[in-house]
Every structure is written in C-alpha cells, then in structure tokens.
Amino acid sequence: MIVFFGSGEDICIRMAVDFASEFGIEHRFIDQCALDCDDLWLKVGPMAVTSSARVSGEMFALDDVIGVYARPLGIASTTQSRAFTTAFTEWLDQVDTLVVNRPISMRSNSSKPYQSQLIGQAGFSVPETLVTNDPEAVRAFHRQHGRVIFKSTSGIRSIVRELDDDYLANVGRVRSLPTQFQAFVEGVDVRVHVVGEQVFATEMISTAIDYRYAARDGDEVIHRAVELDADMTARCRTLASTLQLPLCGIDLRRSSGGTYVCFEVNPMPAFSYYVSRTGQPIVQALVELLAGEA
C-alpha cells in the first residue's frame, strides 16, 4: 500500500492519486484539508516506531505502507489538523519505507546559497553569485558582470528578475533584506525531473528572464521534451541521490556551446506544469516508484 499526503486541491497530488486509482494500485489519501476528524498514533519503542492512522473513518496500519508521496503545502488551519500534520511529518523522517521526500532532505532548499555549494560539490557549474544587503556591493557586482539577475535566498518561490536600470535606481532597498544576485547566463532553460532512476528533461524556449511568469510580461514559452546526453543524465541522478531526493526538479541552463549551469534543485516540484505541456510520464514514474514497480 502507498500513501499520498497533501492537499486535495493540489493538482500534483490529484494526478498521482488518480493514476493510482485508475490502475488499481492500493493506496490511501490523507487530505490536509480534511484532518479535523482524523487521528494518528505513533508508538515509540526501544527498537522501532509502530504507527497507525484513522483517516475518513478507516483505520489502517502505517507499518504496512511501502511508499509515501508527501507534498504538504501551507499551514494547517485548525489545532487538530496542525497536530496531525506535525506528527505525520515527524514520522516521515523516522520511517524506514520510501518517502518522497523526507522533510529533513528538503531543508537544503531553505538556503539557496547553501544549496548552490552542494550543487557545485556535485560537479555542476553554478553562476557567480553575490548574497548581500550592501547596495554598493550590488553596484560593483553589476559593473563587473554587465547583466545580473536577482532572487530570494530562501526556499520560498520568488520571481527571478534582471537588475536593470529601474531596479538599480532603487537598490538601496536591499539594505532591508539580503538578496541573492547572480551573473546572467545566456542560454536555454532546461528543467530536469529525476524520479528514482528515471530522468525527464523539458526545454523552455523563451525571451523571458523567468519562463514561469512569461505571460505576465507578455512573453511566450515553447516547451519541448528533450533527451539529455548520458553524462548529464548521470550527473542529475547523482545530484538527486546526493541530496537524498527521490523526486526533484533540477533547473539548468544550456549555453549555445552545449555546456550547462545549474541554478537550483526544487525538492517539491510542481511537475503538473510540465506534464500538461509535454505529456511526459512523470506521474506514472512517481507512482510506480512508490509501489516498488520502477
């Protein structure tokens, strides 16, 4: 049996649950939006942790679970749901079964600069980076590189923007919040989803600085499923394994010369965006991984 944990309003969760249902894979869905009447019991013994849950009136042993896809989004709204979510996420870090992904493994994304160091240690090139709240340091970095982008240092999603003249005119605001600046890298964005041993790459053709928000700026994006060469495929698998992320989204940019830089690794990727545009079987790969069929 596999377990899905997240919001019933989240399309990634819904796609995975629907796939398991369609193909008769035994599963349970714990909906974050409906936890007020659900319970979780964890018994910590000298040798092991035994666990069971009551969800939607049904009791089942979590000890029988062979795989968990956990995608908790937001903070639970009630005392009961918060207590359940807290206990369940703690269980995810302790259980021996496959968890996609353990909360402890996702922490590297809480600090983009720290994660960049791990990416570099894994053999990827990373853009030259400055993290600062010093306006003059930002101006000097911009003079050095000519084109610079900036984004949040945390794991909270932010829109990547270019440090153009308008932003430079207000760069004094950076004093209030240390920000990550990177030398602009020319090339084509490639999002790589690693699911266990399977690797799915999507190429995005766009003039936008951040293709995810291209429509806001009146730009278009062409999405295309592509095959990475054997070396880059192996590197992506190794990076996912190093970060202990059975599922992740790796953000690359390929230069005109064919070399790659790596920006970051998303431990909770919204793969539905890419599936809807390319038809890649990411959902199938995920569910089969959880069910031990990969």
Side-chain angles (χ1 to χ4, degrees), residues 18-30:
D18 290 347
F19 183 92
S21 299
E22 181 178 356
F23 288 91
I25 297 172
E26 186 180 4
H27 66 281
R28 300 292 185 274
F29 172 39
I30 303 175

Side-chain angles (χ1 to χ4, degrees), residues 120-232:
Q121 292 169 10
F124 281 87
S125 296
V126 296
E128 189 163 346
T129 301
L130 170 71
V131 178
T132 186
N133 65 343
D134 180 353
E136 189 49 48
V138 176
R139 295 187 186 99
F141 191 75
H142 185 266
R143 288 193 297 270
Q144 177 184 356
H145 295 286
R147 295 189 70 183
V148 171
I149 61 92
F150 63 95
K151 57 186 175 182
S152 166
T153 62
S154 75
I156 298 174
R157 174 181 281 201
S158 62
I159 302 176
V160 180
R161 293 296 190 190
E162 183 169 0
L163 188 64
D164 59 17
D165 291 341
D166 289 338
Y167 283 113
L168 274 172
N170 295 288
V171 73
R173 296 170 61 185
V174 79
R175 293 189 184 94
S176 302
L177 181 67
T179 302
Q180 179 167 272
F181 299 87
Q182 291 183 321
F184 179 81
V185 178
E186 287 280 1
V188 176
D189 287 302
V190 180
R191 160 57 74 93
V192 179
H193 288 94
V194 178
V195 189
E197 291 299 307
Q198 298 196 59
V199 176
F200 305 93
T202 306
E203 180 180 87
M204 278 69 60
I205 309 296
S206 176
T207 59
I209 295 296
D210 190 334
Y211 68 86
R212 300 169 303 171
Y213 299 94
R216 293 189 182 186
D217 299 327
D219 293 313
E220 295 183 352
V221 184
I222 297 173
H223 302 79
R224 183 167 57 201
V226 296
E227 293 288 336
L228 299 177
D229 62 36
D231 176 66
M232 186 53 59

Side-chain angles (χ1 to χ4, degrees), residues 211-261:
Y211 68 86
R212 300 169 303 171
Y213 299 94
R216 293 189 182 186
D217 299 327
D219 293 313
E220 295 183 352
V221 184
I222 297 173
H223 302 79
R224 183 167 57 201
V226 296
E227 293 288 336
L228 299 177
D229 62 36
D231 176 66
M232 186 53 59
T233 297
R235 284 197 206 181
C236 288
R237 288 195 186 108
T238 299
L239 179 57
S241 177
T242 299
L243 296 177
Q244 299 182 338
L245 297 172
L247 167 69
C248 63
I250 302 174
D251 291 323
L252 306 176
R253 182 164 287 178
R254 186 184 66 247
S255 72
S256 58
T259 60
Y260 288 86
V261 297

Side-chain angles (χ1 to χ4, degrees), residues 50-186:
T50 58
S51 50
S52 58
R54 180 175 61 205
V55 177
S56 299
E58 178 194 8
M59 285 284 299
F60 62 92
L62 288 170
D63 301 331
D64 297 333
V65 173
I66 62 172
V68 182
Y69 175 41
R71 188 176 155 82
L73 298 175
I75 300 174
S77 59
T78 67
T79 300
Q80 169 70 10
S81 58
R82 285 194 293 272
F84 189 109
T85 298
T86 298
F88 191 78
T89 52
E90 290 177 355
W91 175 79
L92 291 175
D93 277 335
Q94 302 298 323
V95 69
D96 290 332
T97 194
L98 173 65
V99 177
V100 181
N101 289 310
R102 295 185 192 277
I104 196 170
S105 298
M106 295 194 282
R107 291 178 184 172
S108 67
N109 192 52
S110 298
S111 169
K112 293 287 197 303
Y114 170 64
Q115 191 191 69
S116 290
Q117 295 180 54
L118 299 179
I119 291 169
Q121 292 169 10
F124 281 87
S125 296
V126 296
E128 189 163 346
T129 301
L130 170 71
V131 178
T132 186
N133 65 343
D134 180 353
E136 189 49 48
V138 176
R139 295 187 186 99
F141 191 75
H142 185 266
R143 288 193 297 270
Q144 177 184 356
H145 295 286
R147 295 189 70 183
V148 171
I149 61 92
F150 63 95
K151 57 186 175 182
S152 166
T153 62
S154 75
I156 298 174
R157 174 181 281 201
S158 62
I159 302 176
V160 180
R161 293 296 190 190
E162 183 169 0
L163 188 64
D164 59 17
D165 291 341
D166 289 338
Y167 283 113
L168 274 172
N170 295 288
V171 73
R173 296 170 61 185
V174 79
R175 293 189 184 94
S176 302
L177 181 67
T179 302
Q180 179 167 272
F181 299 87
Q182 291 183 321
F184 179 81
V185 178
E186 287 280 1

